[in-house]
């Protein structure tokens, strides 16, 4: 009698395990960046510099990380910023407290990475590679989008 009960228990345990939801193994952010965008170290450096620049309210440092021209909203009006100097001059209107919080609070492991780049928050900030040649063999990593969240 002991043997059939043990066999029945083992069969139940195996079938229960088969029904349990599988935990998907997702690649880490660095691996995803390497696969989708290129060398993650270049992106990590820009992400860290952006977060430090915003935390320190260093307008010039943040401005140096942006791809120009960039269209942003300043006091609700779409404005085309053409240079780092213009960005720095308008820093407080572009990097609002809400945008600053998104940048500062973004955890590297929670970044969304796709072919368009790397998204902070709900899309308030995007970082992407900017091709330096027609074959895109060389690129600079820059901030390409800064916008208020839709929510």
């Amino acid at each position: 009698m002991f043997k059939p009960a043990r066999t029945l228990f083992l069969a139940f345990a195996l079938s229960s395990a088969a029904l349990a939801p599988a935990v998907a193994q997702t690649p880490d952010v660095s691996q995803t960046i390497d696969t989708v965008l290129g060398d993650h170290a270049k992106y990590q450096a820009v992400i860290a510099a952006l977060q430090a620049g915003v935390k320190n309210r260093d307008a010039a440092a943040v401005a140096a990380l942006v791809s120009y021209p960039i269209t942003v909203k300043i006091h609700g009006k779409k404005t085309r910023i053409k240079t780092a100097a213009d960005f720095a001059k308008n820093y407080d209107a572009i990097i609002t407290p809400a945008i600053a919080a998104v940048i500062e609070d973004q955890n590297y492991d929670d970044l969304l990475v796709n072919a368009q780049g790397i998204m902070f928050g709900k899309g308030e900030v995007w970082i992407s590679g900017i091709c330096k040649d027609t074959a895109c063999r060389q690129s600079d990593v820059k901030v390409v989008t800064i916008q208020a969240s839709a929510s």
Side-chain angles (χ1 to χ4, degrees):
M1 186 91 180
F2 178 73
K3 224 174 194 178
R6 186 172 142 197
T7 305
L8 182 60
F9 173 76
L10 182 59
F12 175 75
L14 291 174
S15 65
S16 296
L19 295 175
V23 177
Q25 292 294 329
T26 57
D28 72 3
V29 170
S30 294
Q31 182 182 355
T32 303
I33 293 170
D34 286 340
T35 301
V36 177
L37 300 171
D39 182 12
H40 74 273
K42 289 170 60 173
Y43 287 86
Q44 271 184 319
V46 171
I47 291 163
L50 177 63
Q51 288 182 311
V54 169
K55 181 178 181 182
N56 295 322
R57 294 183 42 91
D58 186 340
V62 174
L65 300 171
V66 174
S67 176
Y68 298 99
I70 187 169
T71 301
V72 297
K73 280 192 177 180
I74 296 179
H75 306 298
K77 181 183 173 198
K78 281 189 177 185
T79 305
R80 190 172 175 100
I81 303 293
K82 296 178 183 175
T83 67
D86 286 341
F87 187 97
K89 185 174 81 174
N90 291 289
Y91 180 83
D92 289 330
I94 298 168
I95 305 296
T96 63
I99 296 289
V102 166
I103 294 168
E104 289 178 37
D105 296 343
Q106 181 64 57
N107 183 319
Y108 182 80
D109 292 330
D110 296 332
L111 288 165
L112 177 119
V113 179
N114 66 27
Q116 294 177 340
I118 298 173
M119 182 180 87
F120 280 63
K122 296 178 182 173
E124 292 89 347
V125 176
W126 282 83
I127 294 174
S128 191
I130 306 299
C131 295
K132 292 170 71 171
D133 56 49
T134 55
C136 204
R137 288 189 196 118
Q138 295 182 335
S139 63
D140 285 333
V141 176
K142 296 285 186 176
V143 173
V144 296
T145 302
I146 301 171
Q147 60 192 0
S149 97
S151 55

